[in-house]
Amino acid sequence: MKNILLTFILLSSSILFGCGSEDAPKGEKNTPGNVATLYFDALYNQNNLNLAMEYATPKMARIMKSYGTAGQFARNLVNMQYDEVVIEVDMTNMSLREQYGDKANINLIFTGYFNGKKIDDMRSVKMMRKKGKWYIEKINADPFAR
C-alpha cells in the first residue's frame, strides 16, 4: 500500500511541477539569448520599462529612463510597435563561444500584431557580461531601415 501511495504522490508531483507558464522563456536562465528575450518581453508584452532596465547596462538604462515609458522607448529608439509579440532567438548565427566570453551579438525574431496587422521583424542586440550576468549594451540599428 505504501508503494502505491508513494507512486501516486510522485506522479502527481511530477505532473504539477511540469506545468508552468508557457509564456516564460525556456532554457538556461543566464544566457545572452534568454536575457535579450526577457528584456524585450518586459518592453513589449509586460509594458514595464523598469523591469526592462534591470536587463540593461547602466548607460542603456539611463537612455531608456529618459523616454519615460516602455511604449515611448520602443516606438522611438527600437522603432517597433506591437500590441502583442512572440520573441525568438535566431539560432542560425549562434556561436557557443559567446557563452564563454564577455560579449555577444544576439539576433531576435519578433512576430506579433499591431492594430490587427501582423508584423514580422528582426533586431540585433549587443550584449556584455559583467560579474557573471548578461546585460543589453546596445540595440543595433536596423540595416534595412530608411
Side-chain angles (χ1 to χ4, degrees):
M1 182 68 176
K2 288 183 180 180
N3 288 339
I4 293 172
L5 184 60
L6 181 63
T7 305
F8 177 74
I9 290 172
L10 287 174
L11 282 173
S12 298
S13 63
S14 66
I15 290 171
L16 286 175
F17 290 119
C19 297
S21 173
E22 290 183 25
D23 296 337
K26 296 167 182 61
E28 195 176 327
K29 296 282 184 215
N30 193 27
T31 62
N34 192 51
V35 171
T37 303
L38 290 170
Y39 173 81
F40 283 105
D41 182 64
L43 279 177
Y44 288 108
N45 293 325
Q46 299 178 41
N47 200 26
N48 189 334
L49 186 67
N50 291 327
L51 179 60
M53 286 170 36
E54 291 179 16
Y55 302 111
T57 61
K59 179 181 177 184
M60 182 65 151
R62 281 192 303 275
I63 294 169
M64 293 170 66
K65 191 173 185 175
S66 71
Y67 283 92
T69 66
Q72 282 288 76
F73 174 75
R75 181 173 36 259
N76 292 301
L77 191 70
V78 184
N79 196 23
M80 293 190 308
Q81 290 180 320
Y82 291 101
D83 294 326
E84 59 182 74
V85 66
V86 175
I87 306 155
E88 297 177 56
V89 176
D90 179 18
M91 301 298 275
T92 57
N93 221 6
M94 192 65 67
S95 170
L96 290 175
R97 285 181 297 138
E98 63 194 18
Q99 305 232 357
Y100 300 106
D102 290 333
K103 300 235 183 239
N105 283 312
I106 302 297
N107 295 322
L108 298 158
I109 301 168
F110 297 82
T111 303
Y113 292 90
F114 182 64
N115 292 334
K117 184 179 173 186
K118 185 176 180 186
I119 300 172
D120 294 318
D121 213 333
M122 188 173 199
R123 281 293 182 276
S124 175
V125 292
K126 186 176 180 183
M127 311 273 305
M128 68 175 288
R129 182 168 35 193
K130 193 168 191 176
K131 296 183 181 176
K133 287 184 69 178
W134 286 99
Y135 297 96
I136 301 285
E137 184 176 12
K138 179 182 176 188
I139 300 171
N140 296 325
D142 183 4
F144 303 108
R146 294 180 186 195

